Amino acid sequence: MDYRNIAIISHVDHGKTTLVDALLRQTLELGHGQEIAERAMDSNVLEKERGITILAKNTAVEYGGVKINIVDTPGHTDFGGEVERVLGMVDGCLLLVDAAEGPMPQTRFVLRKAIELGLKPIVVINKIDRQDARPEEVVDLTFDLMADLGASDEQLDFPILYAVAREGKAFKDMDAPRDDMQELFETVLGEIPAPGTDLEAPFQMLVTNLDYSDYLGRIVIGRVQRGEVRKGEFVNLVHKDGTRTKTRVVQPFTHLGLQRIESERVGAGDIVALSGIEDAQIGETVADLADPEALPIITVDEPTVSMT
Ligand code: GDP
């Protein structure tokens, strides 16, 4: 399996939920992963009925045989490095900006972290159907903001898509609008680097997030750096002080649409969840039993001179 792992950075109401819905819907229309899209749509519809518009933290869509994991970024406040950790799972980001409102100060913090981590941004100017849309100006404002935050020339050379997420449309050229999301999918596949997918190497995954269910107990979430792990397999949990605990993966999960799906095995490049690692803490490494090696914890140096 080939993967792309991306984060979405967006101010509230700029259309993140709508955009992900549109990507899921397109997955269905293209006949890929019917099951993915149907399940995903169902759960999102349910969430909307309950008045909850927050996305699942991890969503997966499929395009052209490539699985695209989309992670939601937390709000602008950084709780003990959460933003860095989440961004550490991905290789690029979609920066979604309202075509009328422009980039908002609240997204600055997350965007700065993304830039510092060297992530490749793709800018999506959404809601270009609004009467008061001013897409060209908003592109310029977005460029200026990124330049301000210290983006490299490569990051500033970002691809731009214009979107009406509500109608499932995204395209590169405003004079050649399209009725689908294909150009956005193609841009993600073409511009965002693919993660390593070495399944033969000893298993290694940084615990990036924790979840909990009454039935499964603690669930650890992260991107598999290398290797693969099977249901029931023994692994080492490498603690931050270098000590290790032998433990067992009860159930691996991958993501499908907005849901977590039980898998027999999960492997390099994917963003996965594992149950059974009861003692795990964020920043620890789940590693191969015979060849355990810790992953570095992601940290970002604050610039000594503020550029803003
Ligand atoms: P989120 O908070 O970023 O997840 O934003 P939502 O996806 O919930 O969208 C916020 C509002 O913007 C909703 O009322 C959407 O219907 C609306 N919206 C989303 N995409 C578009 C669009 O392309 N054009 C217009 N005019 N409105 C949109």
Side-chain angles (χ1 to χ4, degrees):
M1 190 86 185
D2 202 2
Y3 299 94
R4 297 292 185 281
N5 295 320
I6 58 172
I8 298 198
I9 301 176
S10 163
H11 184 64
V12 61
D13 270 355
H14 283 198
K16 177 162 61 181
T17 313
T18 312
L19 184 83
V20 174
D21 263 6
L23 291 170
L24 288 164
R25 214 171 257 132
Q26 173 95 60
T27 297
L28 177 63
E29 274 163 19
L30 291 173
H32 301 311
Q34 179 127 349
E35 192 194 8
I36 296 184
E38 280 172 1
R39 284 176 184 243
M41 295 310 299
D42 283 355
S43 52
N44 209 19
V45 167
L46 284 177
E47 285 196 346
K48 284 199 161 145
E49 276 173 4
R50 293 204 307 262
I52 307 166
T53 53
I54 12 166
L55 278 177
K57 276 190 189 285
N58 300 279
T59 306
V61 297
E62 201 188 308
Y63 181 83
V66 179
K67 182 177 175 193
I68 304 167
N69 284 304
I70 304 170
V71 303
D72 197 5
T73 50
H76 64 287
T77 1
D78 186 15
F79 293 106
E82 190 184 356
V83 172
E84 281 101 330
R85 286 200 321 269
V86 168
L87 293 178
M89 292 196 291
V90 303
D91 302 294
C93 59
L94 294 186
L95 176 61
L96 184 64
V97 186
D98 184 305
E101 284 191 14
M104 301 298 276
Q106 288 88 335
T107 54
R108 230 179 136 86
F109 180 84
V110 180
L111 185 57
R112 182 204 302 271
K113 297 290 178 191
I115 285 168
E116 285 169 8
L117 284 164
L119 299 184
K120 174 99 195 192
I122 295 174
V123 172
V124 181
I125 307 292
N126 190 32
K127 309 196 192 184
I128 59 160
D129 60 314
R130 278 178 64 153
Q131 290 290 319
D132 52 351
R134 45 180 187 124
E136 277 99 354
E137 261 175 272
V138 167
V139 167
D140 289 346
L141 290 169
T142 306
F143 181 94
D144 292 347
L145 172 60
M146 281 202 223
D148 242 18
L149 295 175
S152 66
D153 288 349
E154 205 196 332
Q155 287 171 320
L156 287 175
D157 192 23
F158 49 77
I160 304 162
L161 283 109
Y162 300 94
V164 186
R166 204 157 64 179
E167 294 168 18
K169 298 176 182 173
F171 37 85
K172 285 189 133 166
D173 181 352
M174 276 207 285
D175 295 326
R178 291 183 56 120
D179 277 338
D180 56 38
M181 308 295 283
Q182 292 208 40
E183 289 188 350
L184 179 51
F185 278 117
E186 297 289 347
T187 307
V188 169
L189 265 50
E191 301 278 347
I192 307 296
T197 51
D198 182 1
L199 297 175
E200 305 303 319
F203 182 75
Q204 211 182 25
M205 174 188 128
L206 185 71
V207 177
T208 300
N209 255 322
L210 297 174
D211 199 355
Y212 182 85
S213 97
D214 287 340
Y215 172 58
L216 295 161
R218 183 167 299 204
I219 298 160
V220 303
I221 297 152
R223 157 156 139 188
V224 181
Q225 197 65 28
R226 59 180 202 198
E228 63 179 352
V229 75
R230 292 180 315 272
K231 181 173 175 165
E233 188 174 334
F234 281 96
V235 290
N236 260 308
L237 178 64
V238 187
H239 306 292
K240 287 184 208 162
D241 64 2
T243 60
R244 305 190 287 257
T245 309
K246 183 179 168 182
T247 173
R248 192 166 157 260
V249 175
V250 172
Q251 179 65 61
F253 297 87
T254 185
H255 295 94
L256 192 65
L258 300 171
Q259 294 184 329
R260 219 174 255 159
I261 301 295
E262 292 183 0
S263 295
E264 281 306 305
R265 61 179 68 207
V266 292
D270 203 359
I271 293 176
V272 308
L274 307 174
S275 73
I277 323 283
E278 282 302 322
D279 299 327
Q281 303 293 330
I282 283 170
E284 296 182 332
T285 302
V286 182
D288 187 73
L289 190 64
D291 191 359
E293 197 187 325
L295 280 161
I297 299 166
I298 292 137
T299 50
V300 174
D301 293 332
E302 294 297 334
T304 40
V305 180
S306 171
M307 317 264 290
T308 56

XYZ file of all heavy atoms in Angstrom, residues 100-154:
428
model
N -13.164 34.766 1.534
C -13.565 36.120 1.917
C -12.833 36.577 3.176
O -12.315 37.686 3.232
C -15.073 36.175 2.138
N -12.774 35.687 4.162
C -12.180 36.090 5.452
C -10.669 36.165 5.419
O -10.067 36.938 6.158
C -12.598 35.102 6.552
C -14.016 35.309 7.007
C -14.326 34.522 8.277
O -13.381 34.031 8.933
O -15.510 34.409 8.588
N -10.060 35.310 4.601
C -8.601 35.276 4.566
C -8.035 34.524 5.752
O -8.788 34.034 6.605
N -6.700 34.426 5.820
C -6.084 33.673 6.920
C -6.358 34.361 8.255
O -6.322 35.583 8.343
C -4.594 33.688 6.592
C -4.399 34.778 5.597
C -5.710 35.014 4.909
N -6.658 33.580 9.280
C -7.023 34.138 10.578
C -5.871 33.964 11.563
O -5.136 32.971 11.508
C -8.266 33.429 11.122
C -9.474 33.550 10.210
S -9.993 35.250 9.984
C -10.995 35.435 11.459
N -5.709 34.904 12.471
C -4.579 34.844 13.412
C -4.547 33.554 14.237
O -3.477 33.085 14.604
C -4.787 36.066 14.308
C -6.099 36.656 13.946
C -6.513 36.121 12.628
N -5.720 32.968 14.475
C -5.757 31.760 15.311
C -5.041 30.569 14.682
O -4.682 29.633 15.387
C -7.206 31.350 15.617
C -7.910 32.271 16.593
C -8.597 33.440 15.903
O -8.206 33.833 14.806
N -9.600 33.998 16.527
N -4.893 30.566 13.359
C -4.217 29.431 12.721
C -2.705 29.645 12.632
O -1.962 28.770 12.213
C -4.762 29.162 11.300
O -4.686 30.362 10.554
C -6.193 28.669 11.350
N -2.276 30.834 13.010
C -0.862 31.192 12.917
C 0.045 30.239 13.683
O 1.097 29.835 13.197
C -0.717 32.575 13.558
C 0.000 33.575 12.781
C -0.026 34.850 13.628
N 1.285 35.451 13.606
C 1.671 36.286 12.641
N 0.858 36.619 11.683
N 2.885 36.774 12.659
N -0.375 29.918 14.888
C 0.440 29.080 15.761
C 0.708 27.718 15.127
O 1.855 27.263 15.041
C -0.280 28.917 17.114
C 0.467 28.073 18.086
C 1.467 28.619 18.884
C 0.197 26.713 18.204
C 2.177 27.836 19.778
C 0.901 25.931 19.099
C 1.891 26.493 19.879
N -0.377 27.075 14.659
C -0.233 25.742 14.068
C 0.553 25.830 12.761
O 1.426 25.007 12.479
C -1.622 25.092 13.839
C -1.463 23.709 13.221
C -2.390 24.986 15.151
N 0.259 26.865 11.984
C 0.959 27.037 10.708
C 2.454 27.250 10.930
O 3.289 26.686 10.219
C 0.349 28.227 9.956
C 0.885 28.475 8.557
C 0.704 27.241 7.668
C 0.198 29.679 7.931
N 2.782 28.016 11.950
C 4.198 28.236 12.253
C 4.911 26.908 12.561
O 6.000 26.642 12.068
C 4.343 29.188 13.440
C 5.802 29.494 13.764
C 5.992 29.907 15.205
N 5.200 31.078 15.543
C 5.638 32.326 15.393
N 6.838 32.553 14.913
N 4.855 33.331 15.715
N 4.251 26.074 13.355
C 4.837 24.775 13.699
C 5.008 23.922 12.438
O 6.023 23.249 12.267
C 3.947 24.016 14.688
C 3.765 24.693 16.014
C 5.049 24.678 16.827
C 4.836 25.403 18.141
N 6.083 25.656 18.850
N 4.007 23.955 11.580
C 4.069 23.158 10.339
C 5.254 23.615 9.491
O 5.998 22.798 8.934
C 2.764 23.291 9.562
N 5.446 24.923 9.426
C 6.547 25.477 8.636
C 7.889 25.099 9.259
O 8.808 24.665 8.570
C 6.361 27.000 8.488
C 5.244 27.248 7.467
C 7.651 27.682 8.077
C 4.738 28.651 7.417
N 7.967 25.203 10.587
C 9.224 24.847 11.269
C 9.577 23.377 11.071
O 10.741 23.009 11.010
C 9.123 25.152 12.766
C 9.221 26.635 13.062
C 8.865 26.984 14.503
O 8.687 26.060 15.336
O 8.764 28.180 14.788
N 8.545 22.541 10.995
C 8.796 21.105 10.799
C 9.101 20.782 9.333
O 9.322 19.633 8.983
C 7.587 20.290 11.267
C 7.437 20.158 12.787
C 6.036 19.697 13.154
C 8.471 19.171 13.346
N 9.075 21.802 8.478
C 9.425 21.596 7.071
C 8.331 20.946 6.249
O 8.599 20.383 5.185
N 7.101 20.997 6.734
C 6.011 20.361 5.988
C 5.705 21.145 4.725
O 5.779 22.361 4.696
C 4.738 20.283 6.842
C 4.820 19.472 8.125
C 3.452 19.416 8.786
C 5.330 18.067 7.839
N 5.326 20.402 3.723
C 4.949 21.002 2.444
C 3.490 21.445 2.509
O 2.605 20.625 2.719
C 5.129 19.923 1.376
C 4.669 20.310 0.024
C 5.821 20.745 -0.827
C 5.268 21.480 -2.033
N 6.247 21.711 -3.051
N 3.201 22.729 2.364
C 1.795 23.155 2.407
C 1.131 23.142 1.020
O 1.775 23.414 0.014
C 1.881 24.594 2.927
C 3.241 25.074 2.556
C 4.122 23.875 2.309
N -0.140 22.805 1.014
C -0.989 23.004 -0.165
C -2.083 23.965 0.292
O -2.741 23.702 1.300
C -1.625 21.675 -0.633
C -0.552 20.699 -1.130
C -2.680 21.923 -1.716
C -1.088 19.306 -1.470
N -2.225 25.083 -0.395
C -3.218 26.075 0.031
C -4.524 25.830 -0.715
O -4.533 25.689 -1.936
C -2.691 27.505 -0.207
C -3.789 28.535 0.044
C -1.479 27.775 0.696
N -5.605 25.732 0.039
C -6.930 25.556 -0.567
C -7.773 26.776 -0.180
O -8.067 26.996 0.991
C -7.619 24.265 -0.076
C -8.987 24.093 -0.746
C -6.746 23.036 -0.350
N -8.092 27.579 -1.182
C -8.921 28.763 -0.957
C -10.371 28.310 -1.139
O -10.799 28.019 -2.261
C -8.568 29.887 -1.960
C -7.061 30.187 -1.954
C -9.406 31.131 -1.680
C -6.524 30.816 -0.702
N -11.100 28.239 -0.048
C -12.466 27.684 -0.088
C -13.509 28.800 -0.155
O -13.211 29.952 0.128
C -12.686 26.807 1.152
C -13.984 26.018 1.063
O -14.424 25.638 -0.026
N -14.611 25.775 2.199
N -14.708 28.422 -0.524
C -15.870 29.330 -0.583
C -15.687 30.426 -1.619
O -16.079 31.575 -1.386
C -16.151 29.966 0.792
C -16.253 28.965 1.948
C -16.895 29.602 3.160
C -16.738 28.746 4.405
N -17.432 29.282 5.568
N -15.090 30.069 -2.775
C -14.910 31.102 -3.799
C -16.246 31.498 -4.432
O -16.308 32.431 -5.216
C -13.910 30.673 -4.901
C -14.377 29.406 -5.597
C -12.503 30.498 -4.335
C -13.720 29.239 -6.960
N -17.318 30.772 -4.055
C -18.654 31.141 -4.546
C -19.250 32.313 -3.757
O -20.274 32.851 -4.134
C -19.595 29.929 -4.430
C -19.735 29.439 -2.987
O -18.699 29.307 -2.296
O -20.872 29.207 -2.546
N -18.630 32.683 -2.645
C -19.204 33.773 -1.850
C -19.204 35.079 -2.638
O -18.256 35.367 -3.370
C -18.379 33.968 -0.560
C -18.751 32.996 0.536
C -17.886 33.179 1.760
N -18.080 34.498 2.396
C -17.878 34.738 3.693
N -17.467 33.764 4.487
N -18.058 35.931 4.182
N -20.248 35.863 -2.444
C -20.349 37.179 -3.093
C -19.120 38.032 -2.785
O -18.628 38.763 -3.641
C -21.594 37.910 -2.556
C -22.914 37.319 -3.004
C -23.165 37.543 -4.476
O -22.888 38.622 -4.995
N -23.656 36.513 -5.158
N -18.690 37.939 -1.538
C -17.582 38.790 -1.098
C -16.218 38.089 -1.206
O -15.242 38.530 -0.599
C -17.827 39.259 0.339
C -18.137 38.098 1.295
O -18.321 36.956 0.814
O -18.182 38.337 2.516
N -16.159 36.991 -1.983
C -14.883 36.275 -2.137
C -13.859 37.184 -2.820
O -14.204 37.954 -3.723
C -15.095 35.005 -2.953
N -12.621 37.067 -2.380
C -11.518 37.846 -2.983
C -10.293 36.935 -3.028
O -9.276 37.188 -2.373
C -11.265 39.121 -2.169
C -11.255 38.833 -0.662
C -11.011 40.038 0.192
N -10.874 39.576 1.582
C -9.821 39.818 2.362
N -8.813 40.528 1.939
N -9.783 39.358 3.592
N -10.422 35.858 -3.848
C -9.416 34.786 -3.803
C -7.974 35.237 -4.058
O -7.073 34.790 -3.345
C -9.880 33.792 -4.879
C -11.045 34.403 -5.566
C -11.541 35.539 -4.745
N -7.764 36.123 -5.032
C -6.368 36.516 -5.322
C -5.740 37.234 -4.127
O -4.601 36.973 -3.753
C -6.267 37.425 -6.552
C -6.250 36.655 -7.860
C -7.622 36.635 -8.503
O -8.584 37.118 -7.855
O -7.729 36.127 -9.635
N -6.519 38.146 -3.539
C -6.016 38.871 -2.365
C -5.715 37.907 -1.221
O -4.723 38.064 -0.509
C -7.113 39.815 -1.859
C -6.971 41.246 -2.281
C -8.200 42.016 -1.813
O -9.186 42.027 -2.591
O -8.188 42.540 -0.679
N -6.602 36.913 -1.050
C -6.421 35.964 0.049
C -5.177 35.101 -0.186
O -4.440 34.793 0.748
C -7.711 35.137 0.263
C -7.462 33.936 1.169
C -8.805 36.027 0.866
N -4.903 34.773 -1.444
C -3.657 34.053 -1.752
C -2.457 34.915 -1.339
O -1.523 34.438 -0.687
C -3.563 33.690 -3.258
C -2.148 33.231 -3.617
C -4.573 32.614 -3.619
N -2.502 36.211 -1.681
C -1.397 37.114 -1.327
C -1.224 37.213 0.190
O -0.099 37.189 0.701
C -1.644 38.515 -1.895
C -1.500 38.536 -3.412
O -0.965 37.546 -3.970
O -1.933 39.521 -4.042
N -2.346 37.323 0.901
C -2.279 37.415 2.368
C -1.694 36.140 2.966
O -0.914 36.176 3.928
C -3.678 37.647 2.952
C -4.296 39.024 2.682
C -5.773 39.026 3.078
C -3.526 40.095 3.448
N -2.058 35.004 2.372
C -1.554 33.713 2.858
C -0.048 33.617 2.619
O 0.711 33.173 3.486
C -2.297 32.559 2.155
O -3.703 32.754 2.331
C -1.897 31.209 2.723
N 0.369 34.070 1.449
C 1.803 34.091 1.119
C 2.554 34.956 2.137
O 3.578 34.550 2.687
C 1.995 34.631 -0.303
C 3.431 34.667 -0.741
C 3.986 33.609 -1.451
C 4.243 35.759 -0.429
C 5.319 33.635 -1.836
C 5.574 35.790 -0.807
C 6.112 34.730 -1.526
N 2.026 36.157 2.378
C 2.687 37.084 3.308
C 2.778 36.491 4.709
O 3.804 36.609 5.373
C 1.912 38.414 3.383
C 1.990 39.181 2.073
O 2.832 38.818 1.217
O 1.197 40.129 1.886
N 1.701 35.842 5.132
C 1.699 35.232 6.462
C 2.780 34.159 6.550
O 3.557 34.101 7.503
C 0.313 34.627 6.756
C 0.203 33.784 8.026
C 0.538 34.606 9.266
C -1.201 33.195 8.159
N 2.854 33.317 5.516
C 3.858 32.242 5.559
C 5.268 32.803 5.521
O 6.170 32.307 6.208
C 3.642 31.282 4.398
C 2.512 30.325 4.666
S 2.718 28.903 3.621
C 1.047 28.683 3.105
N 5.464 33.850 4.705
C 6.793 34.478 4.628
C 7.166 35.020 6.009
O 8.293 34.839 6.488
C 6.781 35.580 3.579
N 6.202 35.660 6.659
C 6.354 36.184 8.016
C 6.754 35.110 9.014
O 7.486 35.363 9.976
C 4.968 36.660 8.464
C 4.947 38.125 8.745
O 5.874 38.799 8.270
O 4.004 38.567 9.428
N 6.227 33.924 8.811
C 6.471 32.829 9.753
C 7.754 32.075 9.418
O 8.059 31.060 10.021
C 5.277 31.862 9.753
C 3.946 32.443 10.266
C 2.811 31.447 10.102
C 4.061 32.859 11.725
N 8.479 32.565 8.420
C 9.787 31.991 8.123
C 9.768 30.829 7.149
O 10.690 30.000 7.145
N 8.748 30.753 6.301
C 8.672 29.662 5.323
C 9.841 29.714 4.349
O 10.324 30.796 4.001
C 7.353 29.735 4.562
N 10.301 28.543 3.923
C 11.388 28.465 2.939
C 10.836 28.813 1.551
O 9.622 28.833 1.346
C 11.946 27.041 2.911
O 10.945 26.154 2.403
N 11.744 29.032 0.606
C 11.299 29.319 -0.769
C 10.442 28.186 -1.298
O 9.453 28.410 -1.991
C 12.511 29.519 -1.685
C 13.210 30.847 -1.394
O 12.627 31.666 -0.648
O 14.334 31.042 -1.888
N 10.848 26.970 -0.947
C 10.088 25.810 -1.431
C 8.674 25.803 -0.839
O 7.697 25.533 -1.535
C 10.826 24.522 -1.058
C 10.477 23.377 -1.973
C 10.903 22.040 -1.382
O 11.874 22.002 -0.598
O 10.233 21.042 -1.715
